């Protein structure tokens, strides 16, 4: 197998990251694991077709012994025992990385996935920033002369990096002419350059693993970790991984996912928006019982979402793993006290529910929300670093409860349809410009928001869902008209130049995805072709 770079200098100092030694390591990962990745993606399609045909998923009979036997994940290293508040955000540009590290959060999810557009320059710059951070040298000077540096008056957040999911390729790394696996490129470059330095810092190479759909995909990650540690002389079990339960099949395999990675597992996280997107995707042909109500109506107190989160806490704590809460995407507005107060109240209520349910920590998307989340978990944890010892043996969750989408309160409205299309258009346009984390209507949005927004529109058309506020069914003609109107609204907000460069292509892409007879599995797949 021969590795080739189509662009060896995407950013300044790229030669420090794309070294012959690092690329040889990435090549070795592909030689051993790329074909298995391809096979597992094929298996996803077969499982989804079966679920769509039957309208069913269930706990796997072939893994019953895993669920019923006695085992625990490896004990957490000291640096990861207290995760009561985690800051999320991209690792590029450097300013964002510095702000996250300085935020006062216990952990920073350094995102190379949903909150990052995987333009090649972003991928390489993110690894460079994380390497500089590990060395304590990360700094940035803005055009206005303002300097950003790592704080020395308090601990920095512990970095947990999220690579791309298994489904995404890397167009700029070719192996015998075939595109590389984005997850292996991200992990390979990061692990090669940072693993030893992180160990010397008293931490380690820690990862968030996104969008897995089966325990076999977790087994693949475990084999990748085992090989990588042996190849670079890093002690076995040094890596720690937290898996996001953000697909509906993964909700039925939480125990199995932890078991496969038990020597490297740290916990599970409740990835809310991608979870809802996955429900639509998996059951898109299963009829009106799986039509989700307006996105704004779906709260974490909906019965099927309660079942999912409570099962997650129970599973994690039974196996000695951390249960991490979902994103508080609300962004405070420092210029509007009323908006600010409402934002803080929403976040506080959300985190109080999570802490009360037994979660060990949770996510926020803005540094101003770190104190709110910390205060809530402080009140529950006190001097304890976590509440893994709090078993939730009272929780019993059935397959029917996890799939009970139709009992969620709410309705489908023209307002909800408009909001979905506005957000999908606005986010996709900014993503095409190279930015994966976008503030829209006082919410920090990432690719998961755009995915559920466009998927829900497709689902409404598919089922000719009647809107409660207008009494009209959702048709292609209605959606095409609303897309045109929302694009016009954005045109007025951003001006001619930006609209033609980014928003017009986004409009074409979202129109294609929403109006097509076929469902495209990931918005980021066709979008990537426009930034690769």
């Amino acid at each position: 197998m021969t590795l080739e770079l189509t662009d060896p200098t995407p950013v300044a100092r790229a030669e420090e990251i794309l070294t012959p030694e690092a690329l040889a390591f990435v090549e070795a990962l592909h030689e051993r694991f790329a074909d298995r990745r391809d096979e597992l993606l094929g298996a996803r399609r077969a499982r989804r077709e079966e679920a769509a045909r039957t309208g069913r998923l269930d706990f796997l009979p072939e893994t019953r012994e895993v669920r019923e036997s006695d085992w625990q994940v490896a004990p957490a290293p000291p640096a990861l025992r207290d995760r009561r508040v985690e800051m999320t955000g991209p690792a590029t540009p450097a300013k964002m990385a510095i702000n996250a590290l300085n935020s006062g959060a216990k952990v920073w999810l350094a995102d190379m996935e949903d909150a990052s557009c995987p333009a090649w320059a972003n991928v390489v710059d993110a690894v460079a920033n994380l390497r500089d951070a590990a060395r304590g040298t990360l700094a940035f000077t803005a055009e206005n002369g303002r300097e950003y540096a790592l704080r020395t008056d308090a601990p920095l957040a512990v970095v947990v990096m999220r690579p791309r999911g298994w489904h995404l390729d890397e167009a700029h790394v070719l192996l015998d002419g075939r595109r590389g696996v984005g997850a292996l490129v991200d992990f390979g470059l990061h692990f090669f350059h940072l693993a030893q330095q992180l160990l010397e810092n008293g931490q380690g190479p820690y990862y968030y693993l996104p969008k897995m759909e089966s325990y076999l995909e977790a087994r693949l990650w475990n084999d990748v970790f085992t090989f990588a540690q042996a190849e670079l002389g890093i002690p076995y079990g040094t890596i720690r991984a937290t898996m996001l339960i953000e697909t509906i099949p993964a909700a039925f395999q939480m125990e199995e996912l932890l078991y496969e990675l038990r020597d490297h597992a740290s916990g599970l996280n409740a990835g809310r928006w991608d979870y809802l997107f996955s429900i639509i995707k998996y059951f898109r042909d299963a009829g009106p019982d799986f039509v989700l109500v307006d996105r704004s109506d779906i709260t974490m107190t909906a019965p099927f979402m309660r079942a999912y989160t409570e099962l997650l806490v129970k599973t994690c704590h039974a196996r000695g793993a951390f249960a991490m809460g979902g994103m508080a995407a609300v962004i405070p507005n420092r210029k509007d006290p009323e908006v600010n107060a409402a934002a803080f109240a929403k976040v506080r209520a959300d985190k109080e529910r999570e802490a009360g349910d037994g979660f060990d920590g949770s996510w926020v998307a803005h540094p101003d929300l770190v104190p709110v989340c910390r205060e809530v978990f402080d009140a529950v944890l006190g001097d304890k670093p976590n509440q893994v010892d709090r078993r939730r043996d009272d929780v019993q969750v059935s397959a029917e409860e996890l799939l009970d989408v139709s009992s969620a309160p709410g309705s489908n409205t023209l307002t909800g349809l408009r909001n979905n299309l506005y957000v999908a258009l606005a986010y996709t346009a900014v993503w095409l410009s190279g930015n994966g984390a976008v503030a829209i209507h006082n919410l920090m949005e990432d690719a998961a928001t755009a995915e559920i927004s466009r998927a829900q529109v497709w689902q409404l058309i598919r089922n000719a869902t009647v809107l409660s506020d207008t009494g009209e069914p959702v048709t292609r003609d209605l959606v095409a008209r609303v897309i045109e109107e929302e694009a016009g609204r954005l045109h007025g907000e951003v001006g001619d130049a930006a609209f033609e460069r980014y928003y017009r292509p986004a409009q074409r892409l979202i129109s294609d995805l929403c109006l097509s007879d076929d469902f495209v599995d990931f918005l980021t797949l066709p979008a990537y072709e426009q930034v690769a």
Side-chain angles (χ1 to χ4, degrees):
M1 180 174 284
T2 302
L3 185 148
E4 175 191 357
L5 294 182
T6 65
D7 182 1
T9 56
V11 292
R13 299 171 58 209
E15 70 279 359
E16 299 174 25
I17 302 301
L18 303 175
T19 64
E21 297 81 6
L23 295 176
F25 180 64
V26 171
E27 182 179 321
L29 291 173
H30 281 81
E31 286 176 345
R32 287 160 179 79
F33 303 113
D35 287 345
R36 272 178 65 190
R37 189 286 305 244
D38 294 344
E39 293 169 5
L40 290 169
L41 291 185
R44 284 184 180 184
R45 289 188 288 273
R47 285 195 305 272
R48 194 212 68 79
E49 289 167 3
E50 171 72 10
R53 185 170 63 254
T54 63
R56 288 284 303 169
L57 277 174
D58 210 335
F59 300 97
L60 301 177
E62 64 266 28
T63 55
R64 180 184 300 275
E65 185 177 349
V66 170
R67 296 193 298 276
E68 295 180 353
S69 59
D70 187 20
W71 52 271
Q72 296 270 293
V73 302
L80 277 184
R81 288 176 189 163
D82 189 337
R83 303 176 62 173
R84 67 188 68 199
V85 53
E86 299 193 345
M87 180 73 192
T88 71
T92 179
K95 172 186 169 182
M96 298 261 312
I98 293 167
N99 286 343
L101 288 162
N102 291 347
S103 66
K106 292 291 187 179
V107 166
W108 169 38
L109 186 161
D111 203 355
M112 295 180 68
E113 199 233 3
D114 268 4
S116 178
C117 169
W120 184 225
N122 287 346
V123 172
V124 177
D125 190 53
V127 176
N129 289 337
L130 293 174
R131 186 196 59 167
D132 289 350
R135 293 176 173 180
T137 61
L138 184 62
F140 173 73
T141 302
E143 290 183 3
N144 63 5
R146 181 176 177 184
E147 296 184 349
Y148 295 80
L150 299 176
R151 68 190 303 175
T152 57
D153 62 329
L156 300 174
V158 175
V159 176
V160 179
M161 191 275 273
R162 178 163 68 168
R164 279 171 280 184
W166 283 129
H167 62 286
L168 285 167
D169 289 340
E170 175 48 67
H172 300 86
V173 176
L174 302 180
L175 288 303
D176 291 342
R178 293 174 55 197
R179 287 183 174 182
V181 178
L184 295 179
V185 172
D186 295 349
F187 166 77
L189 292 175
H190 179 272
F191 188 80
F192 182 87
H193 286 292
L194 279 88
Q196 186 60 48
Q197 181 68 60
L198 290 168
L199 279 177
E200 293 171 8
N201 294 351
Q203 300 179 9
Y206 306 142
Y207 300 95
Y208 260 109
L209 303 179
K211 294 183 176 55
M212 285 191 285
E213 294 192 12
S214 87
Y215 68 92
L216 295 176
E217 296 177 19
R219 182 179 296 173
L220 175 56
W221 268 121
N222 195 68
D223 290 347
V224 169
F225 293 162
T226 300
F227 170 80
Q229 290 166 136
E231 188 77 354
L232 297 188
I234 302 297
Y236 179 81
T238 296
I239 292 174
R240 285 294 188 276
T242 304
M243 292 165 278
L244 290 107
I245 303 301
E246 54 184 351
T247 70
I248 184 64
F252 288 87
Q253 299 179 48
M254 295 185 196
E255 299 243 33
E256 293 89 334
L257 289 165
L258 285 172
Y259 181 80
E260 292 295 340
L261 274 159
R262 60 193 178 279
D263 291 339
H264 298 106
S266 178
L268 304 177
N269 170 275
R272 303 173 181 182
W273 291 127
D274 264 314
Y275 185 72
L276 294 170
F277 164 56
S278 175
I279 290 173
I280 296 174
K281 178 164 58 176
Y282 236 69
F283 295 105
R284 59 183 180 258
D285 301 317
D289 282 349
F290 286 92
V291 173
L292 268 64
V293 297
D294 279 357
R295 194 161 54 91
S296 60
D297 286 342
I298 303 172
T299 68
M300 298 307 292
T301 59
F304 76 105
M305 296 301 279
R306 289 290 291 160
Y308 150 65
T309 54
E310 291 204 309
L311 179 61
L312 190 149
V313 174
K314 176 184 180 177
T315 301
C316 286
H317 289 184
R319 303 304 183 180
F322 298 117
M324 302 307 302
M327 171 69 77
V330 178
I331 301 174
N333 187 329
R334 295 169 180 171
K335 298 178 181 178
D336 190 332
E338 200 169 308
V339 170
N340 216 29
F344 276 60
K346 285 182 181 179
V347 172
R348 184 176 297 279
D350 183 54
K351 301 312 168 192
E352 286 175 347
R353 176 191 51 76
E354 289 180 330
D357 283 348
F359 281 93
D360 300 290
S362 193
W363 286 3
V364 296
H366 193 281
D368 286 357
L369 296 175
V370 168
V372 180
C373 185
R374 183 174 57 230
E375 181 182 328
V376 169
F377 277 89
D378 284 352
V380 171
L381 297 176
D383 294 332
K384 293 169 53 180
N386 54 65
Q387 50 183 337
V388 171
D389 60 349
R390 183 183 167 195
R391 300 285 291 259
R392 290 299 310 273
D393 295 332
D394 57 304
V395 172
Q396 301 295 325
V397 174
S398 66
E400 289 74 19
E401 288 171 308
L402 287 171
L403 298 175
D404 185 19
V405 173
S406 60
S407 70
S411 61
N412 296 107
T413 66
L414 181 60
T415 300
L417 178 67
R418 285 192 180 280
N419 185 60
N420 274 344
L421 289 169
Y422 179 95
V423 169
L425 289 167
Y427 179 84
T428 303
V430 178
W431 195 93
L432 293 175
S433 76
N435 186 358
V438 185
I440 304 174
H441 297 159
N442 294 309
L443 295 174
M444 184 62 76
E445 308 288 22
D446 66 10
T449 316
E451 290 284 30
I452 186 178
S453 295
R454 64 92 181 179
Q456 192 168 27
V457 173
W458 188 95
Q459 183 185 44
L460 295 176
I461 295 173
R462 182 79 164 187
N463 290 276
T465 303
V466 176
L467 300 175
S468 63
D469 53 347
T470 66
E472 60 185 324
V474 179
T475 63
R476 284 182 174 81
D477 287 345
L478 172 63
V479 169
R481 174 170 60 82
V482 176
I483 288 175
E484 194 66 40
E485 291 169 355
E486 294 305 307
R489 183 150 69 102
L490 283 160
H491 192 170
E493 293 173 3
V494 304
D496 292 342
F499 186 82
E500 291 302 327
R501 185 171 183 182
Y502 301 118
Y503 290 78
R504 184 75 74 189
Q507 181 182 353
R508 288 193 291 266
L509 180 56
I510 295 300
S511 293
D512 289 345
L513 293 175
C514 292
L515 302 178
S516 172
D517 287 334
D518 298 321
F519 187 93
V520 176
D521 279 350
F522 292 97
L523 156 69
T524 47
L525 292 176
Y528 181 63
E529 299 308 315
Q530 300 188 38
V531 301

